[in-house]
Amino acid sequence: MRSERTRRDALGLLGAGFAALGTGIAPRSARAEDDEEKVLTEALVLRDPEIPVAGNVDGDITIVEWFDYNCPYCRKLEPELRQVVQDDGKVRLVLKDWPILGPVSKVAARMALAAKYQDKFLKAHEAMIGVNSKLTEPRLGELLAAAGIDMDRLNRDLTANVKAIDTILARNNDQAKAFGFNGTPSFIVGKFRVPGVLTMAEFEMVIADARKAKASN
């Protein structure tokens, strides 16, 4: 029991108020707390309607990942995380673009979100997260075209919806900062804050803990 509680404390168990960020977070002003409440509602963190969902859309536990397409740790983790989600069968996976590693990362994030208008966000995501080399703008176009994305439509959708897309990216960024995340990848699993990389076995343990926490509420 003690080891289970220690693990939960280390991960940062979010309290009944979803904006509770666990221990070790600097005190915030009343205005900052009000801002956090606006971006850290359970609905916007776990069920933002503007962000497509992978895994089981009706799953009982949600994993939210903040990632960057140029993040080598995100790339390395991707197949393992997908395997955990597939093996479990009852996990919703919410993929939140957090482009913090330079201008090309921002271009990639905008292109992925533009692809959702042709119902190909996940195809775009898999194409860009699945490479081992540093991304460039010409390479992005090649990867997406090879994945079956209609690039002419993507560019039109990006132009027409750039404000909506940038609003999503700003919200993702505000959430990540409010949770105290310092880099990618970072996660929420159920109501556990997971600032960093986990192994497959650790993900399975946290998912199990999240189910126990949910059942006890």
Side-chain angles (χ1 to χ4, degrees):
M1 182 68 178
R2 179 177 175 79
S3 63
E4 180 178 319
R5 168 51 57 186
T6 301
R7 184 167 72 247
R8 291 185 180 186
D9 289 344
L11 292 172
L13 177 60
L14 302 179
F18 204 73
L21 305 183
T23 58
I25 305 298
R28 300 174 298 284
S29 67
R31 180 173 180 179
E33 289 180 351
D34 286 343
D35 290 342
E36 285 176 7
E37 286 180 4
K38 292 176 184 176
V39 297
L40 290 184
T41 64
E42 186 165 347
L44 280 179
V45 173
L46 301 184
R47 299 182 182 276
D48 189 329
E50 300 300 323
I51 297 179
V53 176
N56 184 341
V57 296
D58 298 316
D60 63 337
I61 292 296
T62 298
I63 295 178
V64 185
E65 178 186 9
W66 283 263
F67 68 92
D68 186 304
Y69 286 112
N70 260 323
C71 166
Y73 303 106
C74 302
R75 293 172 180 168
K76 182 178 180 180
L77 180 69
E78 175 74 8
E80 296 185 356
L81 176 58
R82 286 302 184 94
Q83 190 65 52
V84 169
V85 171
Q86 180 179 322
D87 290 349
D88 183 279
K90 295 181 181 179
V91 172
R92 300 172 66 251
L93 178 59
V94 179
L95 299 164
K96 298 206 175 192
D97 290 90
W98 189 24
I100 56 176
L101 298 177
V104 174
S105 294
K106 292 181 180 178
V107 172
R110 290 188 178 110
M111 293 175 84
L113 289 169
K116 77 173 185 171
Y117 294 99
Q118 51 182 291
D119 295 323
K120 292 184 177 177
F121 171 85
L122 292 178
K123 283 187 176 293
H125 174 77
E126 290 166 2
M128 292 189 288
I129 205 72
V131 295
N132 294 321
S133 57
K134 188 174 178 66
L135 293 172
T136 62
E137 287 194 44
R139 182 66 174 141
L140 293 175
E142 294 171 0
L143 290 168
L144 295 179
I149 310 298
D150 181 335
M151 295 305 295
D152 288 336
R153 178 174 175 183
L154 183 142
N155 288 324
R156 291 196 303 271
D157 286 336
L158 180 55
T159 299
N161 299 285
V162 65
K163 185 175 181 180
I165 289 170
D166 283 349
T167 296
I168 294 169
L169 294 177
R171 185 159 63 241
N172 292 351
N173 179 67
D174 289 345
Q175 289 174 349
K177 288 186 174 180
F179 277 123
F181 294 144
N182 294 317
T184 54
S186 292
F187 301 89
I188 296 296
V189 181
K191 290 190 177 181
F192 290 94
R193 173 180 168 274
V194 186
V197 177
L198 297 182
T199 65
M200 289 179 69
E202 288 169 338
F203 265 119
E204 290 168 355
M205 286 192 297
V206 181
I207 291 168
D209 282 349
R211 284 200 172 102
K212 291 176 185 176
K214 183 178 180 179
S216 66
N217 288 341

